[in-house]
Amino acid sequence: MTAGQAQAETPSAGPELRGTGDLGVVIERATGSVALVDTTQRKVLRHVEGFGDLSHASVKFTRDARRAFVFGRDGGLTRLDLLTGEVDGRIIQGGNSIGGAISQDGRFVAVGNYEPGGVKVFDTETMELVIDVPATYERPDGTTDQAKVVGVVDVPGNIFVFSLFEAGEIWTLDMSTEEPELTKYRDVGSMPYDALITANGRYYIAGLFGEDGMALLDLWHPENGVKRILPDYGRGEERLPVFKMPHLEGWAMAGTQAFFPAVGRNEVLVADTSDWSLTNRIEVHGQPIFVMSRPDERQVWVTFAHPLNDKVQVIDTQTHEVIETLEPGKSILHKEFTPRGEQIWISARDSNEVVIYDTRTFEELARLPAESPSGIFFTHRAHKIGL
């Protein structure tokens, strides 16, 4: 064998030859970095810097689960290559972005902005701007302004759906045609502050900060417009103090039941998804923020607002009883199940750790170092509607 032949047969340097199905990222809010993690080996592969202000951040994965788009509070849109562990694209596209979505075909990434209010859509490969949609609305006095955009999700048909906080509107942006088509649903309720999409992509539900109840758009029948559901959902006539508004993205769906956080109350609420009527109230440790279902829908895991954010509780979806209370560390909020639900990873922000539990035995499996960890995102999200 000649030297030239030997050189030709030597593998070239590059990313490790591996899949990405058991990878994920943990937001490290204090340092503007993320921890790249391996859920099979339960370890941190590396800490990656350069993401800007991550005091409120979220992550979406590309269709091939090779890259993660990180949306930062400073308006940054940053792309991370999961195989090289390096940032391979970053732009400052707005003044304050809190989330976004990737289209069904994987071609577009949409960013929802507080400042200036609106949605910007970029090409996922080139990161070039495709369309800018200002969230312009008319005030009661006839003047116009731009609303904060919240609750950006993707739905089947290459459509993005989002809510306008000050405007009380829900818009859809259809990216399936050469000229994107915008549809506006007005007067949906006072101050939609967050939203979710059901796993099948049918129902888009926005929580209302300014009044009790929620706004529902049936995307199978958009011609019916937006209707109001759960009129008892909210702070009620007592207008109880709210320490932190609940997040709606992690609503727990279990069969025909939906489990979701009460506003300002130490309760998890249960609704019948056939008619969206409230069927039960489950007393829990504190004001719930994230109410998430294990993938098999047998359990719901709940985290809480300050000052009672030191515990995690587990609810049996059949009996509606709290069956376990765990104390992973200080300032518990964010969590993520592995794809089939055998583990749950929980951020203990003020303990600077991610704590991993077996969801069947509740045994603690590992503790991983992280700098003020918050959101945890695994790559199986790449193949789920709205995640």
Side-chain angles (χ1 to χ4, degrees):
M1 179 181 294
T2 67
Q5 289 175 319
Q7 185 175 8
E9 293 176 6
T10 300
S12 60
E16 177 186 356
L17 185 62
R18 62 162 298 162
T20 61
D22 59 355
L23 298 184
V25 297
V26 178
I27 298 295
E28 297 179 304
R29 57 181 291 160
T31 52
S33 59
V34 304
L36 178 58
V37 298
D38 181 320
T39 63
T40 297
Q41 299 183 53
R42 296 199 289 268
K43 72 177 185 179
V44 176
L45 300 177
R46 67 169 64 186
H47 299 270
V48 188
E49 298 180 343
F51 293 86
D53 183 353
L54 298 184
S55 58
H56 188 297
S58 61
V59 175
K60 301 293 179 182
F61 295 98
T62 54
R63 181 185 174 92
D64 61 1
R66 167 75 184 266
R67 293 177 171 86
F69 279 95
V70 181
F71 307 85
R73 190 65 121 172
D74 57 0
L77 178 64
T78 310
R79 188 173 62 193
L80 169 68
D81 187 319
L82 299 179
L83 292 186
T84 66
E86 297 176 350
V87 171
D88 73 349
R90 175 171 167 81
I91 57 174
I92 301 297
Q93 56 77 45
N96 188 340
S97 58
I98 65 161
I102 290 180
S103 61
Q104 186 179 34
D105 65 4
R107 294 171 55 203
F108 306 112
V109 54
V111 187
N113 286 311
Y114 274 8
E115 301 172 7
V119 168
K120 291 182 179 178
V121 179
F122 299 87
D123 185 295
T124 54
E125 287 294 325
T126 66
M127 294 186 69
E128 294 178 351
L129 181 66
V130 176
I131 185 173
D132 183 355
V133 183
T136 304
Y137 72 102
E138 184 175 332
R139 291 170 164 166
D141 63 6
T143 60
T144 60
D145 200 356
Q146 287 183 232
K148 299 181 184 69
V149 166
V150 298
V152 183
V153 301
D154 64 284
V155 299
N158 262 19
I159 297 171
F160 295 116
V161 189
F162 49 94
S163 297
L164 282 61
F165 180 74
E166 293 87 352
E169 299 180 6
I170 294 174
W171 293 5
T172 64
L173 178 63
D174 188 341
M175 298 295 297
S176 66
T177 57
E178 187 172 341
E179 289 294 329
E181 181 179 348
L182 190 64
T183 303
K184 303 178 182 181
Y185 300 89
R186 305 186 190 278
D187 301 320
V188 304
S190 178
M191 293 185 282
Y193 69 89
D194 195 13
L196 66 103
I197 188 77
T198 53
N200 61 0
R202 177 172 183 177
Y203 296 112
Y204 178 86
I205 303 172
L208 302 175
F209 184 75
E211 59 184 282
D212 289 350
M214 308 188 83
L216 179 145
L217 175 61
D218 183 346
L219 292 158
W220 290 6
H221 298 285
E223 68 278 3
N224 294 334
V226 175
K227 73 174 185 177
R228 304 294 290 282
I229 62 169
L230 298 169
D232 297 326
Y233 178 72
R235 287 172 285 179
E237 294 179 1
E238 297 178 61
R239 310 309 291 174
L240 298 170
V242 178
F243 302 122
K244 182 176 174 62
M245 288 303 292
H247 285 249
L248 301 181
E249 180 185 315
W251 264 31
M253 300 294 178
T256 60
Q257 301 180 100
F259 295 77
F260 57 99
V263 178
R265 298 178 183 274
N266 295 0
E267 297 174 338
V268 169
L269 307 181
V270 187
D272 183 336
T273 58
S274 64
D275 59 5
W276 297 102
S277 61
L278 193 64
T279 60
N280 200 7
R281 296 175 179 267
I282 303 170
E283 186 175 347
V284 290
H285 168 68
Q287 291 186 13
I289 298 297
F290 284 105
V291 177
M292 294 178 63
S293 175
R294 197 173 69 177
D296 65 356
E297 300 182 350
R298 285 296 307 276
Q299 297 174 354
V300 165
W301 289 60
V302 187
T303 50
F304 305 96
H306 178 82
L308 299 177
N309 58 349
D310 59 336
K311 293 180 173 62
V312 180
Q313 290 193 311
V314 185
I315 296 171
D316 184 296
T317 58
Q318 291 187 309
T319 66
H320 293 183
E321 294 179 354
V322 175
I323 59 173
E324 188 71 26
T325 298
L326 301 169
E327 298 185 36
K330 300 177 182 178
S331 297
I332 306 302
L333 188 61
H334 297 277
K335 54 194 179 296
E336 178 87 324
F337 292 98
T338 48
R340 297 195 183 191
E342 77 283 358
Q343 302 171 20
I344 188 169
W345 292 42
I346 300 172
S347 286
R349 188 191 67 202
D350 292 351
S351 299
N352 294 310
E353 291 179 316
V354 174
V355 188
I356 306 170
Y357 289 96
D358 182 306
T359 60
R360 182 177 60 86
T361 65
F362 307 116
E363 175 190 1
E364 182 181 309
L365 300 175
R367 286 181 178 260
L368 307 181
E371 294 290 335
S372 298
S374 55
I376 304 174
F377 305 88
F378 295 155
T379 54
H380 69 281
R381 288 171 170 254
H383 311 298
K384 294 187 175 182
I385 295 168
L387 296 179

